[in-house]
PDB file of all heavy atoms in Angstrom:
ATOM      1  N   TRP M  34       0.788  -1.252  -0.044  1.00 92.00           N
ATOM      2  CA  TRP M  34      -0.017   0.010  -0.028  1.00 92.00           C
ATOM      3  C   TRP M  34       0.832   1.253   0.009  1.00 92.00           C
ATOM      4  O   TRP M  34       0.295   2.383   0.076  1.00 92.00           O
ATOM      5  CB  TRP M  34      -0.961   0.020   1.190  1.00 92.00           C
ATOM      6  CG  TRP M  34      -2.004  -1.081   1.005  1.00 92.00           C
ATOM      7  CD1 TRP M  34      -1.980  -2.295   1.514  1.00 92.00           C
ATOM      8  CD2 TRP M  34      -3.180  -0.998   0.195  1.00 92.00           C
ATOM      9  NE1 TRP M  34      -3.088  -2.981   1.048  1.00 92.00           N
ATOM     10  CE2 TRP M  34      -3.836  -2.271   0.209  1.00 92.00           C
ATOM     11  CE3 TRP M  34      -3.700  -0.001  -0.587  1.00 92.00           C
ATOM     12  CZ2 TRP M  34      -5.072  -2.416  -0.421  1.00 92.00           C
ATOM     13  CZ3 TRP M  34      -4.963  -0.188  -1.239  1.00 92.00           C
ATOM     14  CH2 TRP M  34      -5.581  -1.427  -1.153  1.00 92.00           C
ATOM     15  N   GLU M  35       2.135   1.136  -0.149  1.00 91.00           N
ATOM     16  CA  GLU M  35       3.040   2.296  -0.116  1.00 91.00           C
ATOM     17  C   GLU M  35       2.668   3.229  -1.273  1.00 91.00           C
ATOM     18  O   GLU M  35       2.567   2.867  -2.399  1.00 91.00           O
ATOM     19  CB  GLU M  35       4.553   1.886  -0.240  1.00 91.00           C
ATOM     20  CG  GLU M  35       5.476   3.005  -0.034  1.00 91.00           C
ATOM     21  CD  GLU M  35       6.948   2.521  -0.013  1.00 91.00           C
ATOM     22  OE1 GLU M  35       7.154   1.337  -0.160  1.00 91.00           O
ATOM     23  OE2 GLU M  35       7.753   3.388   0.197  1.00 91.00           O
ATOM     24  N   GLY M  36       2.429   4.594  -0.900  1.00 89.00           N
ATOM     25  CA  GLY M  36       2.084   5.591  -1.902  1.00 89.00           C
ATOM     26  C   GLY M  36       0.604   5.452  -2.388  1.00 89.00           C
ATOM     27  O   GLY M  36       0.209   6.344  -3.198  1.00 89.00           O
ATOM     28  N   ARG M  37      -0.144   4.531  -1.967  1.00 90.00           N
ATOM     29  CA  ARG M  37      -1.500   4.354  -2.495  1.00 90.00           C
ATOM     30  C   ARG M  37      -2.514   5.000  -1.497  1.00 90.00           C
ATOM     31  O   ARG M  37      -3.723   5.097  -1.805  1.00 90.00           O
ATOM     32  CB  ARG M  37      -1.834   3.012  -2.656  1.00 90.00           C
ATOM     33  CG  ARG M  37      -1.152   2.252  -3.725  1.00 90.00           C
ATOM     34  CD  ARG M  37      -1.799   0.843  -3.735  1.00 90.00           C
ATOM     35  NE  ARG M  37      -1.225  -0.030  -4.756  1.00 90.00           N
ATOM     36  CZ  ARG M  37      -1.646  -1.179  -4.975  1.00 90.00           C
ATOM     37  NH1 ARG M  37      -2.634  -1.704  -4.249  1.00 90.00           N
ATOM     38  NH2 ARG M  37      -1.144  -1.919  -5.898  1.00 90.00           N
ATOM     39  N   THR M  38      -2.106   5.353  -0.329  1.00 85.00           N
ATOM     40  CA  THR M  38      -3.064   5.843   0.678  1.00 85.00           C
ATOM     41  C   THR M  38      -2.353   6.921   1.503  1.00 85.00           C
ATOM     42  O   THR M  38      -1.089   6.953   1.634  1.00 85.00           O
ATOM     43  CB  THR M  38      -3.561   4.678   1.586  1.00 85.00           C
ATOM     44  OG1 THR M  38      -4.514   5.158   2.507  1.00 85.00           O
ATOM     45  CG2 THR M  38      -2.458   3.955   2.273  1.00 85.00           C
ATOM     46  N   ALA M  39      -3.129   7.783   2.115  1.00 85.00           N
ATOM     47  CA  ALA M  39      -2.598   8.906   2.936  1.00 85.00           C
ATOM     48  C   ALA M  39      -1.909   8.349   4.196  1.00 85.00           C
ATOM     49  O   ALA M  39      -0.828   8.821   4.511  1.00 85.00           O
ATOM     50  CB  ALA M  39      -3.693   9.791   3.336  1.00 85.00           C
ATOM     51  N   ARG M  40      -2.459   7.328   4.777  1.00 88.00           N
ATOM     52  CA  ARG M  40      -1.896   6.726   6.002  1.00 88.00           C
ATOM     53  C   ARG M  40      -1.764   5.212   5.801  1.00 88.00           C
ATOM     54  O   ARG M  40      -2.725   4.457   5.568  1.00 88.00           O
ATOM     55  CB  ARG M  40      -2.764   6.983   7.202  1.00 88.00           C
ATOM     56  CG  ARG M  40      -2.810   8.479   7.556  1.00 88.00           C
ATOM     57  CD  ARG M  40      -3.718   8.688   8.734  1.00 88.00           C
ATOM     58  NE  ARG M  40      -2.930   8.291   9.956  1.00 88.00           N
ATOM     59  CZ  ARG M  40      -3.512   8.006  11.108  1.00 88.00           C
ATOM     60  NH1 ARG M  40      -4.733   8.072  11.263  1.00 88.00           N
ATOM     61  NH2 ARG M  40      -2.706   7.723  12.126  1.00 88.00           N
ATOM     62  N   ASN M  41      -0.515   4.764   5.838  1.00 90.00           N
ATOM     63  CA  ASN M  41      -0.307   3.326   5.654  1.00 90.00           C
ATOM     64  C   ASN M  41       0.222   2.740   6.995  1.00 90.00           C
ATOM     65  O   ASN M  41       1.455   2.808   7.351  1.00 90.00           O
ATOM     66  CB  ASN M  41       0.860   3.150   4.581  1.00 90.00           C
ATOM     67  CG  ASN M  41       0.976   1.713   4.127  1.00 90.00           C
ATOM     68  OD1 ASN M  41       0.209   0.840   4.613  1.00 90.00           O
ATOM     69  ND2 ASN M  41       1.880   1.472   3.269  1.00 90.00           N
ATOM     70  N   LEU M  42      -0.753   2.313   7.856  1.00 92.00           N
ATOM     71  CA  LEU M  42      -0.401   1.989   9.192  1.00 92.00           C
ATOM     72  C   LEU M  42      -0.157   0.400   9.272  1.00 92.00           C
ATOM     73  O   LEU M  42      -0.569  -0.409   8.568  1.00 92.00           O
ATOM     74  CB  LEU M  42      -1.627   2.254  10.081  1.00 92.00           C
ATOM     75  CG  LEU M  42      -2.015   3.750  10.039  1.00 92.00           C
ATOM     76  CD1 LEU M  42      -3.203   3.923  10.921  1.00 92.00           C
ATOM     77  CD2 LEU M  42      -0.791   4.616  10.483  1.00 92.00           C
ATOM     78  N   GLY M  43       0.676   0.132  10.390  1.00 93.00           N
ATOM     79  CA  GLY M  43       1.020  -1.237  10.726  1.00 93.00           C
ATOM     80  C   GLY M  43       0.013  -1.788  11.757  1.00 93.00           C
ATOM     81  O   GLY M  43      -0.979  -1.112  11.982  1.00 93.00           O
ATOM     82  N   VAL M  44       0.382  -2.858  12.328  1.00 93.00           N
ATOM     83  CA  VAL M  44      -0.465  -3.463  13.358  1.00 93.00           C
ATOM     84  C   VAL M  44      -0.778  -2.579  14.514  1.00 93.00           C
ATOM     85  O   VAL M  44      -1.924  -2.486  15.012  1.00 93.00           O
ATOM     86  CB  VAL M  44       0.230  -4.763  13.849  1.00 93.00           C
ATOM     87  CG1 VAL M  44      -0.564  -5.407  15.002  1.00 93.00           C
ATOM     88  CG2 VAL M  44       0.469  -5.795  12.751  1.00 93.00           C
ATOM     89  N   PHE M  45       0.192  -1.804  14.953  1.00 94.00           N
ATOM     90  CA  PHE M  45       0.053  -0.898  16.137  1.00 94.00           C
ATOM     91  C   PHE M  45       0.049   0.566  15.643  1.00 94.00           C
ATOM     92  O   PHE M  45       0.577   1.376  16.316  1.00 94.00           O
ATOM     93  CB  PHE M  45       1.131  -1.184  17.147  1.00 94.00           C
ATOM     94  CG  PHE M  45       0.939  -2.503  17.855  1.00 94.00           C
ATOM     95  CD1 PHE M  45       1.715  -3.522  17.460  1.00 94.00           C
ATOM     96  CD2 PHE M  45      -0.005  -2.669  18.853  1.00 94.00           C
ATOM     97  CE1 PHE M  45       1.584  -4.802  18.098  1.00 94.00           C
ATOM     98  CE2 PHE M  45      -0.186  -3.854  19.510  1.00 94.00           C
ATOM     99  CZ  PHE M  45       0.611  -4.906  19.138  1.00 94.00           C
ATOM    100  N   GLY M  46      -0.415   0.841  14.462  1.00 92.00           N
ATOM    101  CA  GLY M  46      -0.576   2.193  13.953  1.00 92.00           C
ATOM    102  C   GLY M  46       0.803   2.608  13.284  1.00 92.00           C
ATOM    103  O   GLY M  46       1.323   1.837  12.478  1.00 92.00           O
ATOM    104  N   GLU M  47       1.300   3.703  13.635  1.00 92.00           N
ATOM    105  CA  GLU M  47       2.481   4.327  12.959  1.00 92.00           C
ATOM    106  C   GLU M  47       3.768   3.608  13.408  1.00 92.00           C
ATOM    107  O   GLU M  47       4.747   3.583  12.775  1.00 92.00           O
ATOM    108  CB  GLU M  47       2.557   5.810  13.193  1.00 92.00           C
ATOM    109  CG  GLU M  47       1.483   6.547  12.514  1.00 92.00           C
ATOM    110  CD  GLU M  47       1.479   8.009  12.654  1.00 92.00           C
ATOM    111  OE1 GLU M  47       2.430   8.520  13.346  1.00 92.00           O
ATOM    112  OE2 GLU M  47       0.570   8.694  12.138  1.00 92.00           O
ATOM    113  N   ARG M  48       3.708   3.006  14.645  1.00 94.00           N
ATOM    114  CA  ARG M  48       4.868   2.228  15.140  1.00 94.00           C
ATOM    115  C   ARG M  48       4.773   0.763  14.573  1.00 94.00           C
ATOM    116  O   ARG M  48       3.791   0.145  14.882  1.00 94.00           O
ATOM    117  CB  ARG M  48       4.899   2.316  16.670  1.00 94.00           C
ATOM    118  CG  ARG M  48       5.025   3.618  17.261  1.00 94.00           C
ATOM    119  CD  ARG M  48       5.016   3.650  18.784  1.00 94.00           C
ATOM    120  NE  ARG M  48       3.837   2.877  19.274  1.00 94.00           N
ATOM    121  CZ  ARG M  48       3.810   2.076  20.289  1.00 94.00           C
ATOM    122  NH1 ARG M  48       4.864   1.947  21.086  1.00 94.00           N
ATOM    123  NH2 ARG M  48       2.641   1.405  20.588  1.00 94.00           N
ATOM    124  N   LEU M  49       5.807   0.316  13.894  1.00 96.00           N
ATOM    125  CA  LEU M  49       5.732  -0.975  13.347  1.00 96.00           C
ATOM    126  C   LEU M  49       6.193  -1.966  14.403  1.00 96.00           C
ATOM    127  O   LEU M  49       6.770  -1.663  15.424  1.00 96.00           O
ATOM    128  CB  LEU M  49       6.720  -1.083  12.121  1.00 96.00           C
ATOM    129  CG  LEU M  49       6.338  -0.154  10.997  1.00 96.00           C
ATOM    130  CD1 LEU M  49       7.253  -0.294   9.772  1.00 96.00           C
ATOM    131  CD2 LEU M  49       4.881  -0.384  10.557  1.00 96.00           C
ATOM    132  N   LEU M  50       5.885  -3.205  14.183  1.00 97.00           N
ATOM    133  CA  LEU M  50       6.189  -4.305  15.156  1.00 97.00           C
ATOM    134  C   LEU M  50       7.548  -4.304  15.708  1.00 97.00           C
ATOM    135  O   LEU M  50       7.702  -4.397  16.908  1.00 97.00           O
ATOM    136  CB  LEU M  50       5.772  -5.703  14.538  1.00 97.00           C
ATOM    137  CG  LEU M  50       4.346  -6.027  14.523  1.00 97.00           C
ATOM    138  CD1 LEU M  50       4.054  -7.206  13.599  1.00 97.00           C
ATOM    139  CD2 LEU M  50       3.885  -6.311  15.951  1.00 97.00           C
ATOM    140  N   PRO M  51       8.648  -4.174  14.948  1.00 97.00           N
ATOM    141  CA  PRO M  51       9.962  -4.195  15.547  1.00 97.00           C
ATOM    142  C   PRO M  51      10.137  -3.073  16.537  1.00 97.00           C
ATOM    143  O   PRO M  51      10.789  -3.301  17.535  1.00 97.00           O
ATOM    144  CB  PRO M  51      10.894  -4.071  14.323  1.00 97.00           C
ATOM    145  CG  PRO M  51      10.135  -4.649  13.135  1.00 97.00           C
ATOM    146  CD  PRO M  51       8.722  -4.310  13.481  1.00 97.00           C
ATOM    147  N   GLN M  52       9.612  -1.883  16.220  1.00 97.00           N
ATOM    148  CA  GLN M  52       9.728  -0.789  17.123  1.00 97.00           C
ATOM    149  C   GLN M  52       8.927  -1.084  18.467  1.00 97.00           C
ATOM    150  O   GLN M  52       9.461  -0.790  19.568  1.00 97.00           O
ATOM    151  CB  GLN M  52       9.238   0.511  16.499  1.00 97.00           C
ATOM    152  CG  GLN M  52       9.379   1.733  17.425  1.00 97.00           C
ATOM    153  CD  GLN M  52       8.739   2.949  16.748  1.00 97.00           C
ATOM    154  OE1 GLN M  52       8.360   2.996  15.665  1.00 97.00           O
ATOM    155  NE2 GLN M  52       8.707   4.060  17.578  1.00 97.00           N
ATOM    156  N   VAL M  53       7.770  -1.513  18.311  1.00 97.00           N
ATOM    157  CA  VAL M  53       6.886  -1.814  19.457  1.00 97.00           C
ATOM    158  C   VAL M  53       7.537  -2.895  20.345  1.00 97.00           C
ATOM    159  O   VAL M  53       7.624  -2.773  21.506  1.00 97.00           O
ATOM    160  CB  VAL M  53       5.492  -2.259  19.063  1.00 97.00           C
ATOM    161  CG1 VAL M  53       4.628  -2.681  20.210  1.00 97.00           C
ATOM    162  CG2 VAL M  53       4.739  -1.092  18.272  1.00 97.00           C
ATOM    163  N   LEU M  54       8.122  -3.908  19.656  1.00 98.00           N
ATOM    164  CA  LEU M  54       8.839  -4.967  20.430  1.00 98.00           C
ATOM    165  C   LEU M  54      10.004  -4.419  21.146  1.00 98.00           C
ATOM    166  O   LEU M  54      10.267  -4.711  22.360  1.00 98.00           O
ATOM    167  CB  LEU M  54       9.288  -6.065  19.515  1.00 98.00           C
ATOM    168  CG  LEU M  54      10.145  -7.188  20.228  1.00 98.00           C
ATOM    169  CD1 LEU M  54       9.305  -7.860  21.272  1.00 98.00           C
ATOM    170  CD2 LEU M  54      10.678  -8.145  19.252  1.00 98.00           C
ATOM    171  N   ALA M  55      10.819  -3.496  20.517  1.00 98.00           N
ATOM    172  CA  ALA M  55      11.959  -2.887  21.155  1.00 98.00           C
ATOM    173  C   ALA M  55      11.536  -2.136  22.415  1.00 98.00           C
ATOM    174  O   ALA M  55      12.230  -2.235  23.429  1.00 98.00           O
ATOM    175  CB  ALA M  55      12.723  -2.038  20.156  1.00 98.00           C
ATOM    176  N   GLU M  56      10.480  -1.392  22.318  1.00 98.00           N
ATOM    177  CA  GLU M  56       9.975  -0.666  23.488  1.00 98.00           C
ATOM    178  C   GLU M  56       9.579  -1.521  24.583  1.00 98.00           C
ATOM    179  O   GLU M  56       9.794  -1.313  25.733  1.00 98.00           O
ATOM    180  CB  GLU M  56       8.858   0.297  22.971  1.00 98.00           C
ATOM    181  CG  GLU M  56       9.323   1.485  22.046  1.00 98.00           C
ATOM    182  CD  GLU M  56       8.227   2.168  21.379  1.00 98.00           C
ATOM    183  OE1 GLU M  56       6.967   1.883  21.698  1.00 98.00           O
ATOM    184  OE2 GLU M  56       8.490   3.027  20.538  1.00 98.00           O
ATOM    185  N   ALA M  57       8.854  -2.606  24.158  1.00 98.00           N
ATOM    186  CA  ALA M  57       8.375  -3.623  25.167  1.00 98.00           C
ATOM    187  C   ALA M  57       9.519  -4.355  25.826  1.00 98.00           C
ATOM    188  O   ALA M  57       9.510  -4.520  27.116  1.00 98.00           O
ATOM    189  CB  ALA M  57       7.406  -4.618  24.490  1.00 98.00           C
ATOM    190  N   LEU M  58      10.566  -4.677  25.033  1.00 98.00           N
ATOM    191  CA  LEU M  58      11.691  -5.348  25.617  1.00 98.00           C
ATOM    192  C   LEU M  58      12.443  -4.428  26.610  1.00 98.00           C
ATOM    193  O   LEU M  58      13.020  -4.898  27.673  1.00 98.00           O
ATOM    194  CB  LEU M  58      12.675  -5.808  24.546  1.00 98.00           C
ATOM    195  CG  LEU M  58      12.238  -7.057  23.753  1.00 98.00           C
ATOM    196  CD1 LEU M  58      13.105  -7.374  22.556  1.00 98.00           C
ATOM    197  CD2 LEU M  58      12.194  -8.266  24.664  1.00 98.00           C
ATOM    198  N   ALA M  59      12.493  -3.135  26.303  1.00 98.00           N
ATOM    199  CA  ALA M  59      13.148  -2.178  27.186  1.00 98.00           C
ATOM    200  C   ALA M  59      12.467  -2.125  28.558  1.00 98.00           C
ATOM    201  O   ALA M  59      13.053  -1.959  29.611  1.00 98.00           O
ATOM    202  CB  ALA M  59      13.173  -0.795  26.572  1.00 98.00           C
ATOM    203  N   LYS M  60      11.089  -2.301  28.484  1.00 98.00           N
ATOM    204  CA  LYS M  60      10.306  -2.233  29.737  1.00 98.00           C
ATOM    205  C   LYS M  60      10.210  -3.606  30.448  1.00 98.00           C
ATOM    206  O   LYS M  60      10.307  -3.615  31.667  1.00 98.00           O
ATOM    207  CB  LYS M  60       8.924  -1.777  29.502  1.00 98.00           C
ATOM    208  CG  LYS M  60       8.815  -0.348  28.985  1.00 98.00           C
ATOM    209  CD  LYS M  60       7.333  -0.045  28.753  1.00 98.00           C
ATOM    210  CE  LYS M  60       7.089   1.299  28.040  1.00 98.00           C
ATOM    211  NZ  LYS M  60       5.753   1.422  27.626  1.00 98.00           N
ATOM    212  N   TYR M  61      10.052  -4.673  29.631  1.00 98.00           N
ATOM    213  CA  TYR M  61       9.681  -6.004  30.254  1.00 98.00           C
ATOM    214  C   TYR M  61      10.660  -7.066  29.930  1.00 98.00           C
ATOM    215  O   TYR M  61      10.403  -8.216  30.290  1.00 98.00           O
ATOM    216  CB  TYR M  61       8.289  -6.341  29.895  1.00 98.00           C
ATOM    217  CG  TYR M  61       7.272  -5.285  30.226  1.00 98.00           C
ATOM    218  CD1 TYR M  61       6.690  -4.537  29.206  1.00 98.00           C
ATOM    219  CD2 TYR M  61       6.905  -5.075  31.492  1.00 98.00           C
ATOM    220  CE1 TYR M  61       5.755  -3.525  29.512  1.00 98.00           C
ATOM    221  CE2 TYR M  61       5.971  -4.090  31.866  1.00 98.00           C
ATOM    222  CZ  TYR M  61       5.416  -3.360  30.839  1.00 98.00           C
ATOM    223  OH  TYR M  61       4.459  -2.327  31.129  1.00 98.00           O
ATOM    224  N   GLY M  62      11.658  -6.794  29.159  1.00 97.00           N
ATOM    225  CA  GLY M  62      12.521  -7.800  28.714  1.00 97.00           C
ATOM    226  C   GLY M  62      13.306  -8.629  29.745  1.00 97.00           C
ATOM    227  O   GLY M  62      13.719  -9.719  29.563  1.00 97.00           O
ATOM    228  N   ASP M  63      13.368  -8.021  31.033  1.00 98.00           N
ATOM    229  CA  ASP M  63      14.071  -8.642  32.081  1.00 98.00           C
ATOM    230  C   ASP M  63      13.087  -9.588  32.885  1.00 98.00           C
ATOM    231  O   ASP M  63      13.537 -10.191  33.856  1.00 98.00           O
ATOM    232  CB  ASP M  63      14.745  -7.617  32.962  1.00 98.00           C
ATOM    233  CG  ASP M  63      13.827  -6.669  33.634  1.00 98.00           C
ATOM    234  OD1 ASP M  63      12.691  -6.618  33.130  1.00 98.00           O
ATOM    235  OD2 ASP M  63      14.165  -6.067  34.589  1.00 98.00           O
ATOM    236  N   MET M  64      11.851  -9.601  32.513  1.00 97.00           N
ATOM    237  CA  MET M  64      10.909 -10.467  33.198  1.00 97.00           C
ATOM    238  C   MET M  64      11.341 -11.981  32.976  1.00 97.00           C
ATOM    239  O   MET M  64      11.783 -12.325  31.866  1.00 97.00           O
ATOM    240  CB  MET M  64       9.492 -10.345  32.690  1.00 97.00           C
ATOM    241  CG  MET M  64       8.803  -9.052  33.175  1.00 97.00           C
ATOM    242  SD  MET M  64       7.085  -8.841  32.547  1.00 97.00           S
ATOM    243  CE  MET M  64       6.180 -10.109  33.546  1.00 97.00           C
ATOM    244  N   SER M  65      11.198 -12.737  34.020  1.00 97.00           N
ATOM    245  CA  SER M  65      11.524 -14.229  33.835  1.00 97.00           C
ATOM    246  C   SER M  65      10.499 -14.901  32.976  1.00 97.00           C
ATOM    247  O   SER M  65       9.384 -14.390  32.788  1.00 97.00           O
ATOM    248  CB  SER M  65      11.595 -14.870  35.262  1.00 97.00           C
ATOM    249  OG  SER M  65      10.293 -14.941  35.748  1.00 97.00           O
ATOM    250  N   ASP M  66      10.870 -16.099  32.475  1.00 96.00           N
ATOM    251  CA  ASP M  66       9.926 -16.840  31.735  1.00 96.00           C
ATOM    252  C   ASP M  66       8.704 -17.134  32.536  1.00 96.00           C
ATOM    253  O   ASP M  66       7.575 -17.104  32.078  1.00 96.00           O
ATOM    254  CB  ASP M  66      10.541 -18.198  31.254  1.00 96.00           C
ATOM    255  CG  ASP M  66      11.584 -18.044  30.203  1.00 96.00           C
ATOM    256  OD1 ASP M  66      11.740 -16.883  29.622  1.00 96.00           O
ATOM    257  OD2 ASP M  66      12.208 -18.948  29.785  1.00 96.00           O
ATOM    258  N   LYS M  67       8.934 -17.521  33.793  1.00 93.00           N
ATOM    259  CA  LYS M  67       7.828 -17.839  34.701  1.00 93.00           C
ATOM    260  C   LYS M  67       6.890 -16.570  34.818  1.00 93.00           C
ATOM    261  O   LYS M  67       5.649 -16.840  34.786  1.00 93.00           O
ATOM    262  CB  LYS M  67       8.307 -18.288  36.129  1.00 93.00           C
ATOM    263  CG  LYS M  67       7.240 -18.665  37.004  1.00 93.00           C
ATOM    264  CD  LYS M  67       7.800 -19.136  38.350  1.00 93.00           C
ATOM    265  CE  LYS M  67       6.701 -19.537  39.253  1.00 93.00           C
ATOM    266  NZ  LYS M  67       7.037 -19.770  40.637  1.00 93.00           N
ATOM    267  N   ALA M  68       7.420 -15.454  35.070  1.00 95.00           N
ATOM    268  CA  ALA M  68       6.555 -14.294  35.243  1.00 95.00           C
ATOM    269  C   ALA M  68       5.850 -13.926  33.988  1.00 95.00           C
ATOM    270  O   ALA M  68       4.587 -13.532  34.006  1.00 95.00           O
ATOM    271  CB  ALA M  68       7.456 -13.039  35.663  1.00 95.00           C
TER     272      ALA M  68
END
């Protein structure tokens, strides 16, 4: 959809999955498997 629409959003809007994951890992990446 690149160039075909005014807004070409990903799963979480303007932040794509790798970015959302990086932010989540920064906050919760140290949680244990059990937690």
Side-chain angles (χ1 to χ4, degrees):
W34 291 98
E35 189 172 0
R37 292 184 179 182
T38 182
R40 296 182 75 200
N41 189 5
L42 303 177
V44 175
F45 291 99
E47 294 180 2
R48 299 177 308 142
L49 299 181
L50 278 166
Q52 180 184 354
V53 175
L54 176 64
E56 293 168 4
L58 287 170
K60 292 179 192 174
Y61 305 107
D63 61 345
M64 286 180 72
S65 69
D66 288 355
K67 182 180 180 190

